[in-house]
Amino acid sequence: MNDIEPELRATLARCSSATLSTLLVKRGLRNTAIRGVRPLRPGLPPMIGPAFTLRYVPAREDIDAYGSGGDPANLQRQAIELAPAGHVFAIDCRNEPHIAGIGSILVRRLHARGLTGVVLDGGVRDTTAIAGFAIPVYCAGAAVPPNYAGHHAAEINGTISCGGVAIYPGDILFGDSEAVIVVPRHLAAEVAAEGAAMERRERFLIAQIEAGRSIVGVYPPDAETLARYAQWQDPASKA
């Protein structure tokens, strides 16, 4: 499992989920925004990293009894220790918001091991504690029933569905305060480069609108607007 290059990570950090979604639609990919998840702590730097996945199936009472989480054969616990630094831990909870897919102790361990985020289409325990961590966690909300009350970890690092979107191991996951976007690994570099350029141009267009210009000819920009853009000095580049 390979991490991404620091340059790609830095370029993606200049993008937004809205921009990445638009650029993926441009390439024919319309289903890339994970549905039903929100950050427990909005305002953190963007979540960026290759996906390391865990897939749950419904629990079965003779296997997922009280205390089963401590079994060394439990794939959830194995996955926590196998997930590589720099990656995002992505869990397929079958869109089940009423059972906890993870809790604060396991999130702390992922953070300590250098993972860059967690996303799951299910509930999370200990949300108040997790909201104080510096690792981004995207979920469907709070849920107190323990994992084994509804989930059984069935597969580590296979293809999953999360919030109605397919995630293949190694896909790049990007999360900000609005959404989590799944970027196919082979498209990540070109989408990131185009996205960073698009963000810069949109800052210019916003400045034009704030200066009182009509939206006509500005959004989308005509030749005159693009000529002004070519001469523009981006204040963000001096920050």
Side-chain angles (χ1 to χ4, degrees), residues 54 62 111 121 211 225 237:
L54 178 65
D62 61 331
H111 191 200
D121 59 353
T225 299
S237 66

Side-chain angles (χ1 to χ4, degrees), residues 60-84:
R60 203 175 77 181
E61 287 76 6
D62 61 331
I63 298 173
D64 302 291
Y66 174 79
S68 59
D71 186 342
N74 185 305
L75 290 186
Q76 183 212 41
R77 302 307 169 91
Q78 291 184 33
I80 296 294
E81 297 299 326
L82 289 171

Side-chain angles (χ1 to χ4, degrees), residues 56-236:
Y56 288 146
V57 297
R60 203 175 77 181
E61 287 76 6
D62 61 331
I63 298 173
D64 302 291
Y66 174 79
S68 59
D71 186 342
N74 185 305
L75 290 186
Q76 183 212 41
R77 302 307 169 91
Q78 291 184 33
I80 296 294
E81 297 299 326
L82 289 171
H87 286 59
V88 173
F89 196 72
I91 312 175
D92 176 356
C93 294
R94 311 179 319 282
N95 283 305
E96 172 51 75
H98 305 297
I99 304 293
I102 201 166
S104 65
I105 292 177
L106 298 186
V107 172
R108 280 184 185 275
R109 178 59 179 157
L110 291 170
H111 191 200
R113 296 194 62 251
L115 275 85
T116 58
V118 179
V119 57
L120 61 158
D121 59 353
V124 166
R125 299 181 98 179
D126 315 315
T127 53
T128 301
I130 293 173
F133 299 169
I135 182 173
V137 175
Y138 293 79
C139 65
V144 295
N147 180 277
Y148 55 80
H151 296 310
H152 177 85
E155 184 182 19
I156 295 174
N157 216 34
T159 303
I160 64 169
S161 169
C162 187
V165 180
I167 300 177
Y168 291 80
D171 281 346
I172 307 305
L173 300 184
F174 175 97
D176 59 16
S177 292
E178 275 197 319
V180 177
I181 301 295
V182 181
V183 182
R185 184 71 174 252
H186 68 282
L187 293 175
E190 66 178 75
V191 167
E194 187 175 350
M198 183 174 170
E199 294 284 350
R200 182 182 188 277
R201 189 175 73 176
E202 290 204 352
R203 287 195 295 274
F204 168 74
L205 299 180
I206 289 168
Q208 296 290 288
I209 296 299
E210 289 178 343
R213 290 188 181 274
S214 168
I215 201 167
V216 178
V218 170
Y219 191 73
D222 59 16
E224 180 184 345
T225 299
L226 291 174
R228 289 197 303 274
Y229 173 57
Q231 303 299 317
W232 182 65
Q233 297 296 316
D234 186 358

